[in-house]
Amino acid sequence: MKKIDRREVLKKGLALGMATTGLMRGRAQPKKLRVGFIALTDCAPAVMAQELGLFKQYGLEVEVVKEASWATTRDHLLSGEITAAHCLFGLPFSVYTGIGGPAGRVLPIAMVFNNNGQAITLSSQDFGGKVGFKDLEGAGKAILAKKKEGKPLTFAMTFPGGTHDLWLRYWLGACGVNPASDVRVIVIPPPQMVANMSVGNMDGYCVGEPWNGVAVKQGIGFTTVATQDIWKHHPEKALVFNNEFFRANPEESKALTKAILEACRWLDNVANRRTAARVIGQRQYVNADPDVIDARLQGVYELGGGLGRRNYTDDYMLFHRGGQTNFPRKSHAIWFLAQYRRWGMLKEKPDYEKVAETILAQDFYASVAKELKIPLPKDDMQPLSGFIDGITFDPKDPEGSIKRYKVREL
């Protein structure tokens, strides 16, 4: 694949059209900051901030670093080996509560990278012809039939308590399947999903793009549901910092966040997405077919399995939405904690709002957004809806909301 360097990208007429007020001109150059990412389509804000020169515009010297898994991302953030990362929105809550890391360790969320754009892929060998698109009943019957035969199925996600873990569990619950007792759930790093399914290590998985689209192209699996069908406009990835750096370096943290926000705004111009797909598809980034990346970035989903095509118009992968995407909401944090309770990951009731306030850097984000003239949403702590099972979640009554779910007993 032809390498597209930053100068070539800029030469192709990518007019940023963005405010660059508050540039850190005239300041001493800081040491090089390291920003981690996983090989997923939604790493695009970090990669494009680098490729478009946005980090440099904000006075930063940044190296973007490919991480092997979310566990290594966690470890490198905690140790300070990386300054910040493209990270699962749920990972800091999983770590803080002791589910997926050392309890009590803080990894602050500065902003949300994107909404939507993940999916659940089912094995063509196991489910082909048995399960349709958004076919909760068919999927539930097929999964439970295997359990009755004494052959429970295996599903993969990417990190305990992370976004893909909860989308998978939520979908299984909506299918009438208990993820703790009816199936086996394992952890696989995102870029390894397709290869593992191809050799029969799992029957289905939940992951970000392009690894669902790649499975379809290779005929290994089909998309039974996109995560925007599970919860429209859900939070997905976030900009997460090493806590010590974040507290000690507020100006550099702001500059890094601004550069990524600018990239998010650029990415939500659909005309820029084909270029982004070519850039992030390169080997040093996602290492996947740019046409597969681009199609789902455009909301065009070839589902595979004879299911045809699904076109998403207002709920494909979105990076900005006029600022609606990027604000880190307490209501979303509380939803994640409630799902941990629902599935038995947390035995005791957490202090929902305190945990949310500890992890979410809302005041920090508000100050950055103000300087970039990005409006703040006014819907935080309002009931959450748009779920595939029709249930509304009230962040002011998380324990009561848990009782509304049908599949609860472990």
Side-chain angles (χ1 to χ4, degrees), residues 3-4 37 51 66 279-287:
K3 183 178 179 182
I4 303 176
F37 73 94
E51 291 281 348
K66 184 186 285 191
V279 172
I280 68 173
Q282 295 177 88
R283 184 174 182 178
Q284 70 268 34
Y285 297 130
V286 178
N287 192 24

Side-chain angles (χ1 to χ4, degrees), residues 320-392:
H320 188 56
R321 287 199 299 141
Q324 291 291 318
T325 292
N326 309 117
F327 178 61
R329 292 167 174 80
K330 286 200 298 184
S331 56
H332 292 168
I334 290 168
W335 183 89
F336 272 76
L337 295 170
Q339 295 300 310
Y340 296 167
R341 286 278 283 158
R342 177 189 181 189
W343 300 119
M345 300 176 191
L346 291 180
K347 301 299 181 185
E348 302 295 329
K349 174 184 173 183
D351 187 333
Y352 286 96
E353 290 209 33
K354 182 179 179 182
V355 174
E357 289 166 359
T358 298
I359 300 299
L360 301 179
Q362 286 190 322
D363 291 343
F364 169 86
Y365 176 83
S367 66
V368 170
K370 183 177 180 181
E371 291 177 26
L372 291 181
K373 297 181 172 56
I374 296 172
L376 290 179
K378 298 179 180 179
D379 60 352
D380 200 7
M381 294 303 289
Q382 292 182 7
L384 302 174
S385 59
F387 296 95
I388 196 168
D389 56 8
I391 293 174
T392 297

Side-chain angles (χ1 to χ4, degrees), residues 87-322:
C87 194
L88 299 164
F89 180 83
L91 187 146
F93 302 103
S94 176
V95 170
Y96 187 79
T97 55
I99 294 165
R105 292 294 300 274
V106 174
L107 292 170
I109 293 176
M111 60 169 279
V112 176
F113 263 46
N114 66 297
N115 300 133
N116 312 321
Q118 323 299 293
I120 291 176
T121 292
L122 297 181
S123 164
S124 297
Q125 182 176 344
D126 294 333
F127 291 97
K130 300 174 185 176
V131 178
F133 180 71
K134 292 178 65 174
D135 182 7
L136 299 179
E137 182 179 358
K141 286 181 178 178
I143 294 167
L144 294 176
K146 285 292 185 181
K147 182 190 176 186
K148 289 179 182 177
E149 294 172 9
K151 302 174 183 177
L153 299 178
T154 297
F155 289 85
M157 48 76 176
T158 64
F159 187 83
T163 53
H164 304 124
D165 187 15
L166 295 194
W167 312 147
L168 176 63
R169 291 175 188 273
Y170 204 97
W171 174 77
L172 288 168
C175 292
V177 174
N178 191 316
S181 58
D182 295 331
V183 297
R184 179 172 173 246
V185 177
I186 62 173
V187 177
I188 300 288
Q192 298 177 24
M193 287 291 188
V194 177
N196 273 273
M197 179 173 278
S198 70
V199 296
N201 287 344
M202 70 272 208
D203 307 284
Y205 60 74
C206 182
V207 74
E209 297 301 342
W211 307 118
N212 302 287
V214 169
V216 169
K217 185 169 184 178
Q218 294 184 8
I220 293 166
F222 63 93
T223 299
T224 190
V225 68
T227 53
Q228 53 264 39
D229 300 307
I230 297 172
W231 177 14
K232 185 175 180 178
H233 296 329
H234 64 76
E236 182 49 45
K237 302 303 188 301
L239 175 61
V240 176
F241 277 89
N242 166 270
N243 192 42
E244 289 72 26
F245 178 91
F246 187 70
R247 301 301 171 194
N249 300 277
E251 292 306 313
E252 286 79 5
S253 298
K254 271 190 173 185
L256 188 66
T257 304
K258 286 178 180 178
I260 290 177
L261 268 170
E262 300 273 29
C264 287
R265 188 151 54 183
W266 181 86
L267 283 158
D268 262 10
N269 180 340
V270 176
N272 293 330
R273 292 195 171 197
R274 183 170 295 278
T275 296
R278 291 199 303 270
V279 172
I280 68 173
Q282 295 177 88
R283 184 174 182 178
Q284 70 268 34
Y285 297 130
V286 178
N287 192 24
D289 185 338
D291 290 336
V292 173
I293 296 172
D294 181 57
R296 294 203 172 191
L297 269 176
Q298 303 289 347
V300 179
Y301 284 51
E302 297 294 344
L303 300 174
L307 300 180
R309 174 183 292 176
R310 167 83 176 185
N311 292 313
Y312 292 89
T313 57
D314 68 339
D315 55 353
Y316 47 83
M317 189 179 290
L318 296 169
F319 296 93
H320 188 56
R321 287 199 299 141

Side-chain angles (χ1 to χ4, degrees), residues 390-403:
I391 293 174
T392 297
F393 179 84
D394 184 357
K396 295 177 182 176
D397 182 24
E399 294 287 307
S401 294
I402 295 169
K403 296 175 182 177

Side-chain angles (χ1 to χ4, degrees), residues 2 4 6-15 275 278:
K2 180 183 177 183
I4 303 176
R6 182 172 65 85
R7 280 181 291 182
E8 184 178 347
V9 171
L10 294 174
K11 192 166 67 175
K12 287 182 178 293
L14 304 177
T275 296
R278 291 199 303 270

